[in-house]
Amino acid sequence: MVLSFKHQIGLACVTLLLTALCINSEYSFTESRATYYGSPDCYGNPRGACGFGEYGKTINDGSVSGVSRLWRNGSGCGACYQVRCKIAEYCDENGAYVVVTDYGEGDRTDFIMSPRGYSRLGHNADASEVLFKYGVVDIEYKRVPCKYNGYNIMYKIHEHSNNPFYLAILILYVDGTYDVTSAEIWQEECKEWRALRRAYGAVFDTTNPPSGEIKLRFQVSGSVGVYWVQSKNVIPSDWKAGSAYDTQIQLT
């Protein structure tokens, strides 16, 4: 199934992204610190290192974050976390649910959050205002499953792609607590899978992609280990930059 990126963004803004996370997780909390970055509209950074662009600005209603230790060479892009601060007087007991869209290093901080994400640490507006004045707060966090209403792995052909000379794909989102660690493209002439390069963040690319329909497979890691899954849909030979594809891969 092929979705236009415009249609995908519409779905994301209306239904998917406002309910991107669920709170159940097998992960335990880890102690750390969090801060926030400046933003004129309080949303995410469209130039984040994951390569999400404008999509990374509004995903999860703008509750996003840059990370350092959790970056994992870009495979941490799109991961979902519950973050809650530890000042009982001001902090909400559930905290904030954020999506990783960027890389960032701070003063012993694991999360550099968008203002919208950081504000959700407080239990009300007044409490959030106090937390903003703190600038940096002690937190605890844990990985939680991302939930994207029917999509397990979805990707977009990056706008810098140029058929037939250069193909780059951007992993838009991955359901659950899985990371995409590698991607490969099927080389029909050689009857073998060829590795794509992780260009940066969530972007994989190759020069001189195969002609005709393009098959992809992805290496995913999660609680059950590391394994390969193949997209059930192919990229058509007349592919164009900006098109988004649902792999129809069922991750379990």
Side-chain angles (χ1 to χ4, degrees), residues 47-75:
R47 296 177 297 279
C50 287
F52 290 142
E54 289 296 320
Y55 170 77
K57 179 178 179 178
T58 57
I59 186 174
N60 195 39
D61 196 30
S63 290
V64 298
S65 184
V67 296
S68 53
R69 286 192 303 170
L70 302 171
W71 175 250
R72 297 191 297 279
N73 194 35
S75 65

mmCIF file of all heavy atoms in Angstrom, residues 47-75:
data_model
loop_
_atom_site.group_PDB
_atom_site.id
_atom_site.type_symbol
_atom_site.label_atom_id
_atom_site.label_comp_id
_atom_site.label_asym_id
_atom_site.label_seq_id
_atom_site.Cartn_x
_atom_site.Cartn_y
_atom_site.Cartn_z
ATOM 1 N N ARG A 47 14.939 20.343 12.167
ATOM 2 C CA ARG A 47 16.273 20.019 11.657
ATOM 3 C C ARG A 47 16.976 19.013 12.564
ATOM 4 O O ARG A 47 18.212 18.932 12.575
ATOM 5 C CB ARG A 47 17.104 21.302 11.528
ATOM 6 C CG ARG A 47 16.556 22.282 10.507
ATOM 7 C CD ARG A 47 17.361 23.564 10.448
ATOM 8 N NE ARG A 47 17.299 24.293 11.713
ATOM 9 C CZ ARG A 47 16.289 25.082 12.066
ATOM 10 N NH1 ARG A 47 15.253 25.221 11.252
ATOM 11 N NH2 ARG A 47 16.291 25.710 13.223
ATOM 12 N N GLY A 48 16.214 18.223 13.295
ATOM 13 C CA GLY A 48 16.788 17.244 14.206
ATOM 14 C C GLY A 48 17.639 16.210 13.494
ATOM 15 O O GLY A 48 17.446 15.905 12.305
ATOM 16 N N ALA A 49 18.595 15.648 14.219
ATOM 17 C CA ALA A 49 19.586 14.744 13.631
ATOM 18 C C ALA A 49 19.006 13.433 13.122
ATOM 19 O O ALA A 49 19.665 12.723 12.362
ATOM 20 C CB ALA A 49 20.681 14.451 14.664
ATOM 21 N N CYS A 50 17.795 13.087 13.515
ATOM 22 C CA CYS A 50 17.178 11.862 12.997
ATOM 23 C C CYS A 50 16.783 11.997 11.533
ATOM 24 O O CYS A 50 16.592 10.993 10.846
ATOM 25 C CB CYS A 50 15.948 11.496 13.828
ATOM 26 S SG CYS A 50 16.343 10.840 15.471
ATOM 27 N N GLY A 51 16.615 13.235 11.049
ATOM 28 C CA GLY A 51 16.247 13.447 9.658
ATOM 29 C C GLY A 51 14.754 13.468 9.401
ATOM 30 O O GLY A 51 14.323 13.374 8.252
ATOM 31 N N PHE A 52 13.936 13.596 10.450
ATOM 32 C CA PHE A 52 12.491 13.551 10.289
ATOM 33 C C PHE A 52 11.918 14.807 9.632
ATOM 34 O O PHE A 52 10.790 14.793 9.142
ATOM 35 C CB PHE A 52 11.801 13.362 11.650
ATOM 36 C CG PHE A 52 12.009 11.999 12.251
ATOM 37 C CD1 PHE A 52 12.185 11.856 13.616
ATOM 38 C CD2 PHE A 52 12.010 10.871 11.462
ATOM 39 C CE1 PHE A 52 12.368 10.604 14.185
ATOM 40 C CE2 PHE A 52 12.191 9.611 12.014
ATOM 41 C CZ PHE A 52 12.375 9.474 13.377
ATOM 42 N N GLY A 53 12.627 15.911 9.661
ATOM 43 C CA GLY A 53 12.123 17.149 9.073
ATOM 44 C C GLY A 53 10.897 17.666 9.807
ATOM 45 O O GLY A 53 10.803 17.578 11.034
ATOM 46 N N GLU A 54 9.955 18.203 9.047
ATOM 47 C CA GLU A 54 8.743 18.775 9.645
ATOM 48 C C GLU A 54 7.947 17.732 10.418
ATOM 49 O O GLU A 54 7.273 18.047 11.391
ATOM 50 C CB GLU A 54 7.869 19.419 8.561
ATOM 51 C CG GLU A 54 8.444 20.693 7.981
ATOM 52 C CD GLU A 54 8.545 21.797 9.033
ATOM 53 O OE1 GLU A 54 7.620 21.931 9.862
ATOM 54 O OE2 GLU A 54 9.551 22.540 9.016
ATOM 55 N N TYR A 55 8.032 16.493 9.975
ATOM 56 C CA TYR A 55 7.359 15.402 10.684
ATOM 57 C C TYR A 55 7.877 15.287 12.115
ATOM 58 O O TYR A 55 7.121 15.070 13.058
ATOM 59 C CB TYR A 55 7.593 14.112 9.901
ATOM 60 C CG TYR A 55 7.186 12.837 10.599
ATOM 61 C CD1 TYR A 55 5.853 12.471 10.683
ATOM 62 C CD2 TYR A 55 8.147 11.976 11.129
ATOM 63 C CE1 TYR A 55 5.473 11.286 11.303
ATOM 64 C CE2 TYR A 55 7.777 10.792 11.738
ATOM 65 C CZ TYR A 55 6.445 10.457 11.818
ATOM 66 O OH TYR A 55 6.096 9.289 12.431
ATOM 67 N N GLY A 56 9.185 15.482 12.294
ATOM 68 C CA GLY A 56 9.769 15.421 13.627
ATOM 69 C C GLY A 56 9.390 16.585 14.509
ATOM 70 O O GLY A 56 9.567 16.526 15.725
ATOM 71 N N LYS A 57 8.858 17.622 13.911
ATOM 72 C CA LYS A 57 8.413 18.786 14.690
ATOM 73 C C LYS A 57 7.100 18.515 15.391
ATOM 74 O O LYS A 57 6.877 18.966 16.525
ATOM 75 C CB LYS A 57 8.288 19.992 13.755
ATOM 76 C CG LYS A 57 7.820 21.272 14.417
ATOM 77 C CD LYS A 57 7.785 22.406 13.400
ATOM 78 C CE LYS A 57 7.290 23.701 14.038
ATOM 79 N NZ LYS A 57 7.297 24.829 13.073
ATOM 80 N N THR A 58 6.205 17.781 14.746
ATOM 81 C CA THR A 58 4.844 17.617 15.250
ATOM 82 C C THR A 58 4.507 16.219 15.743
ATOM 83 O O THR A 58 3.432 16.013 16.308
ATOM 84 C CB THR A 58 3.828 17.991 14.156
ATOM 85 O OG1 THR A 58 4.071 17.171 12.993
ATOM 86 C CG2 THR A 58 3.963 19.452 13.769
ATOM 87 N N ILE A 59 5.388 15.247 15.513
ATOM 88 C CA ILE A 59 5.109 13.892 15.980
ATOM 89 C C ILE A 59 4.803 13.908 17.481
ATOM 90 O O ILE A 59 5.393 14.675 18.244
ATOM 91 C CB ILE A 59 6.295 12.950 15.670
ATOM 92 C CG1 ILE A 59 5.952 11.504 16.013
ATOM 93 C CG2 ILE A 59 7.561 13.390 16.378
ATOM 94 C CD1 ILE A 59 7.020 10.513 15.590
ATOM 95 N N ASN A 60 3.841 13.098 17.886
ATOM 96 C CA ASN A 60 3.455 13.011 19.303
ATOM 97 C C ASN A 60 3.049 14.378 19.851
ATOM 98 O O ASN A 60 3.320 14.718 20.997
ATOM 99 C CB ASN A 60 4.605 12.417 20.131
ATOM 100 C CG ASN A 60 4.153 11.957 21.511
ATOM 101 O OD1 ASN A 60 3.059 11.402 21.663
ATOM 102 N ND2 ASN A 60 4.985 12.183 22.507
ATOM 103 N N ASP A 61 2.376 15.166 19.007
ATOM 104 C CA ASP A 61 1.904 16.506 19.382
ATOM 105 C C ASP A 61 3.060 17.399 19.830
ATOM 106 O O ASP A 61 2.891 18.293 20.661
ATOM 107 C CB ASP A 61 0.841 16.415 20.483
ATOM 108 C CG ASP A 61 0.039 17.708 20.630
ATOM 109 O OD1 ASP A 61 -0.123 18.422 19.627
ATOM 110 O OD2 ASP A 61 -0.416 18.002 21.755
ATOM 111 N N GLY A 62 4.237 17.172 19.278
ATOM 112 C CA GLY A 62 5.383 18.012 19.594
ATOM 113 C C GLY A 62 6.114 17.641 20.861
ATOM 114 O O GLY A 62 7.085 18.314 21.232
ATOM 115 N N SER A 63 5.698 16.589 21.551
ATOM 116 C CA SER A 63 6.404 16.133 22.751
ATOM 117 C C SER A 63 7.534 15.206 22.309
ATOM 118 O O SER A 63 7.354 13.990 22.156
ATOM 119 C CB SER A 63 5.449 15.400 23.701
ATOM 120 O OG SER A 63 4.537 16.295 24.278
ATOM 121 N N VAL A 64 8.693 15.813 22.052
ATOM 122 C CA VAL A 64 9.824 15.085 21.495
ATOM 123 C C VAL A 64 11.075 15.438 22.292
ATOM 124 O O VAL A 64 11.065 16.323 23.145
ATOM 125 C CB VAL A 64 10.022 15.416 20.001
ATOM 126 C CG1 VAL A 64 8.798 14.987 19.202
ATOM 127 C CG2 VAL A 64 10.295 16.913 19.802
ATOM 128 N N SER A 65 12.164 14.748 21.968
ATOM 129 C CA SER A 65 13.391 14.978 22.730
ATOM 130 C C SER A 65 14.621 14.617 21.918
ATOM 131 O O SER A 65 14.575 13.736 21.048
ATOM 132 C CB SER A 65 13.386 14.143 24.020
ATOM 133 O OG SER A 65 14.519 14.423 24.813
ATOM 134 N N GLY A 66 15.710 15.306 22.226
ATOM 135 C CA GLY A 66 17.019 14.876 21.799
ATOM 136 C C GLY A 66 17.637 14.033 22.900
ATOM 137 O O GLY A 66 17.345 14.225 24.081
ATOM 138 N N VAL A 67 18.484 13.071 22.520
ATOM 139 C CA VAL A 67 19.115 12.184 23.492
ATOM 140 C C VAL A 67 20.591 12.047 23.150
ATOM 141 O O VAL A 67 21.022 12.392 22.044
ATOM 142 C CB VAL A 67 18.453 10.786 23.508
ATOM 143 C CG1 VAL A 67 17.006 10.862 23.954
ATOM 144 C CG2 VAL A 67 18.554 10.126 22.125
ATOM 145 N N SER A 68 21.368 11.516 24.090
ATOM 146 C CA SER A 68 22.783 11.262 23.836
ATOM 147 C C SER A 68 23.086 9.776 24.002
ATOM 148 O O SER A 68 23.298 9.062 23.023
ATOM 149 C CB SER A 68 23.652 12.122 24.758
ATOM 150 O OG SER A 68 23.274 11.954 26.122
ATOM 151 N N ARG A 69 23.087 9.276 25.237
ATOM 152 C CA ARG A 69 23.387 7.855 25.461
ATOM 153 C C ARG A 69 22.394 6.938 24.744
ATOM 154 O O ARG A 69 22.741 5.817 24.345
ATOM 155 C CB ARG A 69 23.364 7.535 26.954
ATOM 156 C CG ARG A 69 24.553 8.053 27.730
ATOM 157 C CD ARG A 69 24.593 7.446 29.118
ATOM 158 N NE ARG A 69 23.368 7.691 29.863
ATOM 159 C CZ ARG A 69 23.066 7.107 31.013
ATOM 160 N NH1 ARG A 69 23.886 6.212 31.535
ATOM 161 N NH2 ARG A 69 21.951 7.404 31.655
ATOM 162 N N LEU A 70 21.163 7.387 24.590
ATOM 163 C CA LEU A 70 20.112 6.575 23.987
ATOM 164 C C LEU A 70 20.071 6.699 22.465
ATOM 165 O O LEU A 70 19.206 6.124 21.814
ATOM 166 C CB LEU A 70 18.751 6.968 24.574
ATOM 167 C CG LEU A 70 18.640 6.832 26.097
ATOM 168 C CD1 LEU A 70 17.340 7.454 26.600
ATOM 169 C CD2 LEU A 70 18.727 5.378 26.521
ATOM 170 N N TRP A 71 21.011 7.441 21.892
ATOM 171 C CA TRP A 71 21.047 7.679 20.447
ATOM 172 C C TRP A 71 21.344 6.394 19.680
ATOM 173 O O TRP A 71 20.741 6.114 18.650
ATOM 174 C CB TRP A 71 22.095 8.745 20.153
ATOM 175 C CG TRP A 71 22.354 9.026 18.719
ATOM 176 C CD1 TRP A 71 23.485 8.711 18.005
ATOM 177 C CD2 TRP A 71 21.493 9.702 17.797
ATOM 178 N NE1 TRP A 71 23.387 9.151 16.715
ATOM 179 C CE2 TRP A 71 22.169 9.760 16.555
ATOM 180 C CE3 TRP A 71 20.222 10.261 17.899
ATOM 181 C CZ2 TRP A 71 21.611 10.358 15.425
ATOM 182 C CZ3 TRP A 71 19.663 10.856 16.779
ATOM 183 C CH2 TRP A 71 20.350 10.900 15.560
ATOM 184 N N ARG A 72 22.311 5.639 20.149
ATOM 185 C CA ARG A 72 22.686 4.339 19.571
ATOM 186 C C ARG A 72 22.937 4.429 18.064
ATOM 187 O O ARG A 72 22.358 3.676 17.275
ATOM 188 C CB ARG A 72 21.624 3.279 19.893
ATOM 189 C CG ARG A 72 21.466 2.981 21.373
ATOM 190 C CD ARG A 72 20.620 1.752 21.606
ATOM 191 N NE ARG A 72 19.270 1.919 21.134
ATOM 192 C CZ ARG A 72 18.301 2.541 21.799
ATOM 193 N NH1 ARG A 72 18.546 3.056 23.006
ATOM 194 N NH2 ARG A 72 17.087 2.662 21.305
ATOM 195 N N ASN A 73 23.778 5.381 17.676
ATOM 196 C CA ASN A 73 24.176 5.551 16.279
ATOM 197 C C ASN A 73 22.985 5.787 15.352
ATOM 198 O O ASN A 73 23.023 5.455 14.154
ATOM 199 C CB ASN A 73 24.978 4.335 15.785
ATOM 200 C CG ASN A 73 25.702 4.598 14.481
ATOM 201 O OD1 ASN A 73 26.166 5.710 14.242
ATOM 202 N ND2 ASN A 73 25.768 3.596 13.624
ATOM 203 N N GLY A 74 21.925 6.336 15.893
ATOM 204 C CA GLY A 74 20.747 6.643 15.090
ATOM 205 C C GLY A 74 19.633 5.623 15.197
ATOM 206 O O GLY A 74 18.484 5.918 14.854
ATOM 207 N N SER A 75 19.937 4.409 15.678
ATOM 208 C CA SER A 75 18.871 3.402 15.788
ATOM 209 C C SER A 75 17.893 3.751 16.901
ATOM 210 O O SER A 75 16.795 3.190 16.967
ATOM 211 C CB SER A 75 19.468 2.010 16.025
ATOM 212 O OG SER A 75 20.136 1.938 17.262
#
